[in-house]
Amino acid sequence: MKTIIEPFKIKTVEPIRFTSPEERSRILAEAGFNPFLIRAEDVLIDLLTDSGTSAMSAKQWAGMMEGDESYAGARSFFRFERIAKDLTGFDFIIPTHQGRAAEKILFTLLGGAGKYFPNNTHFDTTRANIEFSGAEALDFPTPAARETASPADFKGDMDIPALERCIREKGRESIPLVMVTVTNNAGGGQPVSMKNIRETKELCSRYGIPLFLDACRFAENAFFIKKREKGFGTVPVKSIVQEMFSYADGCTMSAKKDAIVNMGGFLGLNDADLASKARNILIVTEGFPTYGGLAGRDLEAMAQGLEEVLDENYLTYRIRSVEYLGEKLSRAGVPILEPPGGHAIYLDAKRFAPHIAPHHFPGQAIVCELYLAAGIRSVEIGSVMFGRKNPSTGEFVPAPMELVRLAIPRRVYTQSHIDYVVEAVLDVYSRRKQLAGLRIVSEAPLLRHFTARFESL
Ligand SMILES: Cc1ncc(COP(=O)(O)O)c(C=O)c1O
């Protein structure tokens, strides 16, 4: 059969609330034109993030009843540890309550003034944790990543020549590790090829620098490798995952993505000394090393999710359902970041609303209009999130891309929900010339997009 279907049936449902255009207009103004400040019950289709918003399976819920809530040495930890080790091959698996807690521990230990952390593209929390330590976060996306309309297969790749120039310029001793984010979330959910991971590892090894993966979407990345990279078509996804991790010396993981849970994460390490220091910080900030900020039931759900995510029927449906949204939009002429990513479709706000200058946040204008038109919540990934002021001149430096991310929660929405989203985006696109930019009224010094308030111009 050609039709790709959801490889599950629905046992539990949760109602979603319809609001009137007048209600949404009031709600958006009260939220300072920032979708993070809207109550979830005022949202009809929530595409804010795919993080922690997945529907768990019956086996994951059953696992939660099996959770061993012992403070130390819980059975649930050892099941989770066994499965995570089998996948990643790392010697030490340190559970944390989510991805950024793993980042915080890692960069507290390795960061600090005068240190540099290159990545294909840092996500916002990774960048923030690095900068919070006093170090600098550097992005080296492959040049193809900047061409939003080109459909290259692996636009998440690291720009290896640029990485090598950076290592030579900054010096090996000031780069504690190189990171590769799979898939590249801030760069459009684009995958990284095995060839690129391998070559990045070779370069790092030549300079004696450890390679880490930001592994949140490891399974989606592996599935793209299977589908697009020569030589992997018949290799099981699990083996591809194991090969990806085999090139890394450690990882940070937000289990809220490809472990299909609502909360969880871990730090994977091979270096025994670093692992011992990390556990010391873990005990102070998260909890004892066999629970690390999580309940035993969370560890069970995470262990189960790490196995379920490798099911190739699930990954076929997952990647196809995102591609379906992208296909419908691009066929209707809506500019999206091509090709569709693994977990989200990114509208290209620069081409969608070229009349709005980056410092008036074209992406945020589209985000607001999608909510007003249809109760859909999305998120800007552009100059609200990554724009900054030049510290010496005070001049506004825009983000390299102005995107609106429509992130698809795992196993949550059906095809008719996605058809509704298509209709809403096409409606907003037909009225794009009337969209107005925004101005920031208040903002926090770090990760301002979460709490900033705006006014419409
Ligand atoms: C690539 C990437 N790294 C790190 C994180 C942080 O994970 P968490 O939200 O679990 O702290 C995210 C979350 O969206 C992400 O997409």
Side-chain angles (χ1 to χ4, degrees):
M1 298 298 291
K2 286 204 201 79
T3 309
I4 294 167
I5 60 168
E6 288 83 356
F8 49 80
K9 52 186 181 171
I10 297 167
K11 187 181 284 193
T12 306
V13 295
E14 188 182 353
I16 49 179
R17 196 171 86 82
F18 290 81
T19 48
S20 67
E22 296 71 35
E23 277 178 282
R24 292 197 291 277
S25 181
R26 176 184 51 75
I27 290 163
L28 188 65
E30 282 173 7
F33 297 90
N34 184 344
F36 281 104
L37 304 179
I38 297 176
R39 285 174 182 239
E41 63 181 8
D42 294 332
V43 174
L44 186 65
I45 307 264
D46 205 345
L47 307 184
L48 183 71
T49 177
D50 64 321
S51 178
T53 51
S54 304
M56 291 210 299
S57 67
K59 279 200 175 160
Q60 284 176 297
W61 283 110
M64 292 195 79
M65 287 305 292
E66 291 279 335
D68 176 354
E69 303 302 344
S70 308
Y71 189 98
R75 184 185 63 244
S76 302
F77 169 75
F78 293 111
R79 177 178 177 222
F80 157 69
E81 187 192 42
R82 177 176 51 75
I83 290 171
K85 278 189 171 176
D86 177 43
L87 269 187
T88 66
F90 296 133
D91 292 333
F92 306 98
I93 299 290
I94 298 173
T96 58
H97 80 273
Q98 64 182 100
R100 72 197 68 183
E103 293 163 4
K104 172 82 177 130
I105 293 171
L106 185 66
F107 297 117
T108 298
L109 288 169
L110 300 181
K115 295 286 195 301
Y116 299 90
F117 291 92
N119 198 325
N120 47 351
T121 313
H122 288 280
F123 197 61
D124 57 356
T125 57
T126 330
R127 173 172 288 281
N129 271 304
I130 290 170
E131 290 175 353
F132 190 73
S133 81
E136 220 175 292
L138 304 170
D139 292 341
F140 297 110
T142 180
R146 301 257 189 265
E147 294 159 32
T148 55
S150 105
D153 280 343
F154 290 105
K155 289 167 83 174
D157 279 357
M158 174 82 85
D159 181 344
I160 293 178
L163 173 63
E164 181 154 25
R165 282 195 296 278
C166 162
I167 298 174
R168 289 220 179 113
E169 187 193 311
K170 307 288 184 203
R172 177 265 155 269
E173 56 300 327
S174 60
I175 303 181
L177 59 83
V178 168
M179 208 162 205
V180 173
T181 303
V182 293
T183 56
N184 189 346
N185 185 5
Q190 300 293 316
V192 182
S193 67
M194 191 71 88
K195 178 170 179 285
N196 190 259
I197 299 175
R198 219 180 270 143
E199 288 174 0
T200 306
K201 172 65 180 175
E202 280 163 17
L203 178 65
C204 289
S205 301
R206 247 187 290 136
Y207 288 91
I209 301 173
L211 174 66
F212 273 56
L213 293 184
D214 177 342
C216 306
R217 299 178 180 84
F218 69 87
E220 289 168 6
N221 198 85
F223 191 71
F224 279 118
I225 289 176
K226 182 176 175 106
K227 292 290 157 193
R228 296 182 182 171
E229 193 163 347
K230 207 165 154 249
F232 288 95
T234 56
V235 181
V237 167
K238 183 172 175 184
S239 307
I240 298 176
V241 167
Q242 287 168 325
E243 182 176 344
M244 280 165 49
F245 279 111
S246 74
Y247 300 120
D249 302 285
C251 77
T252 54
M253 170 76 189
S254 168
K256 298 168 72 174
K257 285 83 168 173
D258 270 355
I260 325 186
V261 289
N262 305 121
M263 191 52 74
F266 64 89
L267 178 62
L269 295 170
N270 276 339
D271 178 331
D273 182 46
L274 192 60
S276 147
K277 288 179 180 147
R279 283 193 178 123
N280 289 338
I281 298 186
L282 186 85
I283 290 174
V284 179
T285 58
E286 291 279 291
F288 191 73
T290 58
Y291 72 85
L294 292 167
R297 52 184 173 271
D298 298 325
L299 293 164
E300 282 289 339
M302 206 154 72
Q304 180 64 29
L306 285 174
E307 292 195 325
E308 285 179 14
V309 78
L310 300 175
D311 173 1
E312 299 195 14
N313 288 326
Y314 160 74
L315 284 166
T316 303
Y317 137 80
R318 167 75 179 152
I319 300 302
R320 176 59 196 152
S321 56
V322 176
E323 188 184 52
Y324 173 84
L325 170 60
E327 235 170 56
K328 291 238 163 178
L329 294 179
S330 60
R331 278 188 192 157
V334 178
I336 65 163
L337 201 156
E338 299 279 5
H343 66 291
I345 291 301
Y346 295 66
L347 306 177
D348 183 349
K350 265 190 201 165
R351 289 189 284 144
F352 195 115
H355 61 288
I356 304 178
H359 66 284
H360 288 149
F361 311 122
Q364 194 74 7
I366 298 168
V367 164
C368 290
E369 196 53 35
L370 268 176
Y371 179 72
L372 288 174
I376 295 168
R377 176 154 67 172
S378 54
V379 67
E380 193 259 18
I381 300 199
S383 289
V384 174
M385 198 179 269
F386 294 118
R388 46 192 61 215
K389 274 204 185 105
N390 180 322
S392 37
T393 62
E395 218 176 307
F396 172 77
V397 184
M401 292 193 275
E402 303 294 339
L403 303 173
V404 172
R405 189 182 69 181
L406 306 170
I408 314 296
R410 293 167 183 76
R411 307 191 289 209
V412 171
Y413 293 118
T414 63
Q415 188 166 340
S416 57
H417 290 117
I418 299 297
D419 287 337
Y420 175 89
V421 173
V422 171
E423 186 183 338
V425 176
L426 296 191
D427 170 46
V428 173
Y429 189 60
S430 71
R431 296 183 283 107
R432 62 193 177 279
K433 292 195 176 124
Q434 292 142 39
L435 294 179
L438 297 117
R439 182 178 21 235
I440 292 186
V441 181
S442 65
E443 61 180 297
L446 276 180
L447 297 174
R448 69 174 179 185
H449 52 286
F450 287 127
T451 52
R453 298 184 72 84
F454 301 81
E455 63 186 14
S456 182
L457 292 170

